[in-house]
Amino acid sequence: MCTGNCRGCFSFPHGTMSIWALIFSIIAYCFAINASYGCFYVTAKLPDDTAIGIINEGTLGFGLFSYSNPLNSFSEDVGYSCIVYNYDIADYFFDAPFKTARAFGIMGNISIGIPMIAAILLSCMTLSKGLLKLFTYMLFFGSFCELMTFIVFASEICTNYQCQFSVGAGLAIGGSIAAFITGWIFLKIPGVNEDDIFPGAMTAGGVVSQPAGTVTVQETVEPDGTKKIVKTTVNADGSQTVEETIEKPQAQAY
């Protein structure tokens, strides 16, 4: 049963902007995750005498966490597979700029991934203005982190072997742009008041607040048989409309 701030799957209670937020957040995360964990962020040709366990067969792809190895192919069409860096390669490649780019890649994926989950939740539930603003800041930070992965071009593998811009770097740019757009969309999504998300919460004066549209009816019978009916309706702006009706007892006919 759907209660509280749940409104039903794919009802998008925040409106059309939440649909665009969902689309662009998924695009941003797919770009970011592939930019960070693919093995073609840059390409380079190492010298033949590099004794670090990489077999040189032309230009190879290097990512933040893996590299392309032509001798470990699982597909004849592709001709390579992505291999995680081992300790020897890590000692050879991982200078300060390379490690910094890896750190920004991780932070970017987290900062974009969490708002993407929130965007999925927006399809069936409401979130407060504060949370929407938090996810906006996370997306802007994730956009910044994706661009900062370009620090890898200052690492030794690029300065010594003249690495070239490749698919992963392009995905990082695309992920940064998509994350920034998603953050802007989150900024435009209308938030919901806390009282609407958590109905029945105590207000500052100690009175229990009720969600908009709530109707309560109270009946009181006086000693002479007069019935007093008070109907209270909670309006969308939080105000209340009170309607009072008095019913007098009818005289009995003899």
Side-chain angles (χ1 to χ4, degrees):
M1 182 176 179
C2 207
T3 60
N5 58 335
C6 182
R7 299 292 186 270
C9 291
F10 302 109
S11 60
F12 293 97
H14 284 275
T16 306
M17 295 300 288
S18 61
I19 301 177
W20 289 110
L22 175 61
I23 295 173
F24 276 94
S25 63
I26 293 176
I27 293 174
Y29 185 73
C30 289
F31 280 10
I33 198 74
N34 281 282
S36 296
Y37 295 101
C39 55
F40 276 92
Y41 194 99
V42 297
T43 58
K45 188 178 188 310
L46 303 183
D48 295 334
D49 58 352
T50 303
I52 56 173
I54 295 180
I55 306 300
N56 277 321
E57 288 190 1
T59 301
L60 302 179
F62 295 92
L64 301 180
F65 294 90
S66 62
Y67 67 98
S68 64
N69 191 331
L71 295 186
N72 287 292
S73 175
F74 297 103
S75 172
E76 295 180 357
D77 296 331
V78 177
Y80 72 90
S81 62
C82 291
I83 306 297
V84 177
Y85 293 116
N86 59 37
Y87 290 107
D88 292 335
I89 301 175
D91 292 338
Y92 189 84
F93 282 138
F94 292 180
D95 54 359
F98 203 100
K99 292 179 180 178
T100 302
R102 284 163 59 98
F104 275 115
I106 294 173
M107 290 188 293
N109 289 325
I110 295 174
S111 298
I112 296 174
I114 294 177
M116 181 195 67
I117 296 174
I120 296 174
L121 295 178
L122 284 175
S123 66
C124 60
M125 63 187 298
T126 55
L127 297 178
S128 66
K129 297 177 182 179
L131 281 176
L132 292 175
K133 186 173 292 186
L134 172 63
F135 295 138
T136 297
Y137 294 148
M138 291 184 67
L139 286 162
F140 287 156
F141 180 70
S143 175
F144 169 76
C145 289
E146 287 302 306
L147 290 180
M148 291 303 293
T149 58
F150 274 75
I151 294 177
V152 73
F153 284 94
S155 63
E156 289 187 4
I157 186 175
C158 285
T159 56
N160 294 343
Y161 306 123
Q162 298 180 348
C163 65
Q164 302 293 321
F165 185 99
S166 192
V167 177
L171 289 174
I173 295 176
S176 176
I177 295 174
F180 186 86
I181 294 175
T182 309
W184 180 84
I185 295 174
F186 263 87
L187 198 62
K188 299 297 182 180
I189 294 177
V192 178
N193 294 327
E194 295 290 344
D195 290 344
D196 295 332
I197 297 179
F198 304 105
M202 296 295 293
T203 63
V207 180
V208 178
S209 62
Q210 298 293 338
T214 301
V215 178
T216 57
V217 179
Q218 182 180 3
E219 294 185 3
T220 305
V221 180
E222 302 294 338
D224 61 354
T226 301
K227 183 183 296 184
K228 182 180 179 181
I229 303 173
V230 179
K231 179 180 177 182
T232 305
T233 304
V234 180
N235 301 318
D237 59 357
S239 62
Q240 296 181 349
T241 301
V242 180
E243 300 177 11
E244 185 175 314
T245 305
I246 296 178
E247 297 180 357
K248 294 184 177 182
Q250 295 180 355
Q252 297 181 356
Y254 295 95

